[in-house]
Amino acid sequence: MQTPNVAASAKPKKKKLYADLTFQVLVAIVLGIIVGHLWPDIGTEMKPLGDIFIKLVKMVVGPVIFLTVVTGISSVGDMKKVGRVGVKALIYFEVVTTFALGIGLVLVNIMGPGRGMNVVAGAINNAEVAKYAGAAKTQSTVDVLMHIVPDNVIGAFGSGDLLQILFFSVLFGAALSLMGERGKPVEDLLERISHTFFSVINIVMYYAPVGAFGAIAFTIGKFGIGSLTSLGELLLGVLLTMMLFIFLVLGSIARFYGFSIFRFLAYFKDELMIILGTSSSETVLPRMMEKLQRLGCAKPVVGLVIPTGYSFNLDGTSIYLSMAAIFIAQAYNVHLSIWQQLSILALLMVTSKGAAAVTGGGFITLAATMSATGVLPIEGLALLLGVDRFMSTGRALTNMVGNGVATMVIAKMEHEFDETKALQEYQNYFDQPALATM
């Protein structure tokens, strides 16, 4: 079964700078910052431009996941192998996200960004915090598990719920695989349809610079650059921790499995720029799935690991949650013993798995965690409102890189990674001989 041959995934040689997607998005982000800062009223009016781009991508996310998972599973024909990939992915997710939570917990204690703020309990009454708190109260582990099974298939695609779509896709792919030769015509039809959807994605990407401009102009226009300085220590601490996690932790994992995190990031620079502008990792999900296949990862691995990772492997969200919870405790002078902090970490190991991979999901999860502790004032979330949008960009970038690395690792563990194909793709993309270490 051939991987969709999408032109955008392999960069043409001698491409003009102005035609490069990364350059276009970067220019759009700079222009958005300028407009949002100089003319904040106009900047806030640009929000629909970013929303339209996100809606365009979400429009095809569900079908792309369905088609990739179904055709991947049916082409394998071995459900034991599919199950083995799923189990290994979940174990990997749990280990790495727990490590991310622990790193956040250690560094926030060392840096102490909330110390000295001396916020008095009851001093903050924010309506937006009440909204997040209300949403958080509806979340529980049982609810999350029950929610995986959709009430109906059409509803799952309509709401864009990734786990529900994945659940149905696995069942459909398994059924198609069990049909054997009788299912081949359906598999071939779905394969052709998947090519069409990836072509749709290429068309949508032409709008990416406009979407990035609208999203960043709105963010700067509404919250202002000044909001970055009020909680700058926390913001810089979170972003620094995420960078350390990517280059040290994920970099070490990548090196152990024979590929370079730097070359990996360079290959996905277009996607990183899009996330930088939109603050949502979901906007690049279809392109990631297609490019990982071109990079040598088998389609069944990509189809299972990426969608599952968007709910269970949120490394950036995990770092943010542990640091934000302790930051609020520091700001309110709530002393937490080592055992209390470890209990919060254990709680986050559960609640972080229910965080959505879109803007705002981490905030709701944090509200749920704080409510469950009984010692952290939930009103403290108001302290984070001004910079949450900026930190959500860091969360989305780290989540995206974490899921990409996870896919490469699981593919290599399962011997479902084509080294020759990967080296050739790197050589074509970078227009230079690929490094032996990738």
Side-chain angles (χ1 to χ4, degrees):
M1 197 68 64
Q2 291 185 346
T3 306
N5 184 18
V6 182
S9 63
K11 188 171 66 175
K13 296 182 179 181
K14 298 180 181 178
K15 193 172 185 178
K16 299 293 185 182
L17 180 62
Y18 63 81
D20 184 77
L21 181 61
T22 300
F23 177 76
Q24 293 174 355
V25 173
L26 188 58
V27 170
I29 291 172
V30 172
L31 291 176
I33 293 173
I34 293 173
V35 171
H37 179 59
L38 297 180
W39 304 283
D41 291 339
I42 296 177
T44 54
E45 294 297 322
M46 297 295 105
K47 186 175 186 294
L49 297 179
D51 291 344
I52 288 173
F53 176 65
I54 293 175
K55 286 171 69 70
L56 283 170
V57 175
K58 292 180 73 173
M59 173 182 69
V60 296
V61 164
V64 165
I65 290 176
F66 172 77
L67 293 166
T68 303
V69 173
V70 170
T71 55
I73 291 177
S74 61
S75 64
V76 171
D78 184 358
M79 291 309 299
K80 288 184 178 179
K81 188 172 186 177
V82 173
R84 189 170 64 246
V85 170
V87 170
K88 285 184 178 180
L90 290 175
I91 293 174
Y92 174 92
F93 295 161
E94 187 61 41
V95 171
V96 176
T97 53
T98 300
F99 206 83
L101 287 168
I103 288 177
L105 195 67
V106 171
L107 290 184
V108 75
N109 276 285
I110 294 174
M111 292 183 289
R115 296 186 190 122
M117 294 186 70
N118 300 319
V119 182
V120 180
I124 301 176
N125 184 15
N126 191 290
E128 194 164 353
V129 169
K131 177 186 70 175
Y132 287 115
K137 289 177 182 177
T138 64
Q139 307 295 314
S140 71
T141 304
V142 175
D143 290 336
V144 172
L145 293 175
M146 290 290 292
H147 188 69
I148 293 176
V149 182
D151 293 326
N152 63 80
V153 175
I154 304 301
F157 281 91
S159 63
D161 192 299
L162 300 188
L163 274 182
Q164 291 186 353
I165 294 172
L166 178 63
F167 179 80
F168 173 72
S169 301
V170 171
L171 291 180
F172 195 99
L176 197 59
S177 177
L178 293 173
M179 289 177 65
E181 288 300 317
R182 290 182 301 154
K184 276 294 179 184
V186 178
E187 181 184 338
D188 293 339
L189 174 62
L190 294 178
E191 185 70 35
R192 291 186 175 91
I193 294 175
S194 71
H195 292 189
T196 305
F197 269 95
F198 280 113
S199 296
V200 171
I201 293 167
N202 288 336
I203 296 173
V204 169
M205 284 302 119
Y206 284 110
Y207 183 76
V210 180
F213 167 79
I216 200 70
F218 164 76
T219 300
I220 299 297
K222 181 175 181 180
F223 301 106
I225 294 180
S227 64
L228 296 177
T229 60
S230 61
L231 291 171
E233 189 175 350
L234 173 65
L235 178 61
L236 290 176
V238 171
L239 297 181
L240 176 62
T241 304
M242 290 178 181
M243 289 178 62
L244 290 174
F245 179 82
I246 289 174
F247 292 111
L248 295 183
V249 179
L250 296 182
S252 298
I253 294 173
R255 185 178 180 83
F256 182 81
Y257 282 94
F259 64 99
S260 167
I261 190 66
F262 298 101
R263 203 162 180 81
F264 179 86
L265 293 174
Y267 180 71
F268 284 101
K269 63 183 175 65
D270 290 351
E271 289 69 33
L272 292 171
M273 284 295 107
I274 292 172
I275 293 175
L276 186 63
T278 62
S279 296
S280 172
S281 56
E282 198 173 49
T283 55
V284 300
L285 187 149
R287 278 173 62 94
M288 273 197 69
M289 296 178 72
E290 192 275 331
K291 289 180 74 171
L292 282 165
Q293 291 177 60
R294 292 190 63 86
L295 201 54
C297 298
K299 181 184 284 189
V301 176
V302 174
L304 288 172
V305 175
I306 289 293
T308 310
Y310 266 60
S311 285
F312 294 99
N313 188 42
L314 305 179
D315 300 330
T317 303
S318 298
I319 291 171
Y320 164 78
L321 289 173
S322 58
M323 295 189 74
I326 304 304
F327 164 79
I328 291 174
Q330 293 172 351
Y332 278 83
N333 294 317
V334 177
H335 176 71
L336 298 174
S337 67
I338 183 63
W339 298 112
Q340 286 177 308
Q341 293 195 36
L342 289 176
S343 67
I344 290 175
L345 187 143
L347 183 62
L348 285 169
M349 287 172 61
V350 177
T351 57
S352 63
K353 302 303 181 292
V358 295
T359 303
F363 217 63
I364 294 174
T365 304
L366 180 59
T369 304
M370 292 177 64
S371 296
T373 63
V375 296
L376 297 177
I378 198 167
E379 67 179 60
L381 290 174
L383 298 173
L384 305 173
L385 287 175
V387 293
D388 184 69
R389 177 75 183 191
F390 299 98
M391 285 193 287
S392 71
T393 301
R395 294 198 299 264
L397 288 169
T398 309
N399 292 341
M400 174 261 183
V401 175
N403 283 317
V405 170
T407 305
M408 295 275 285
V409 169
I410 300 300
K412 284 174 172 284
M413 289 173 63
E414 281 293 302
H415 305 290
E416 292 288 345
F417 186 82
D418 191 331
E419 301 278 355
T420 303
K421 186 176 180 180
L423 291 171
Q424 185 62 50
E425 174 66 6
Y426 274 146
Q427 182 174 333
N428 293 337
Y429 187 83
F430 295 110
D431 191 18
Q432 63 185 23
L435 297 177
T437 57
M438 294 196 302

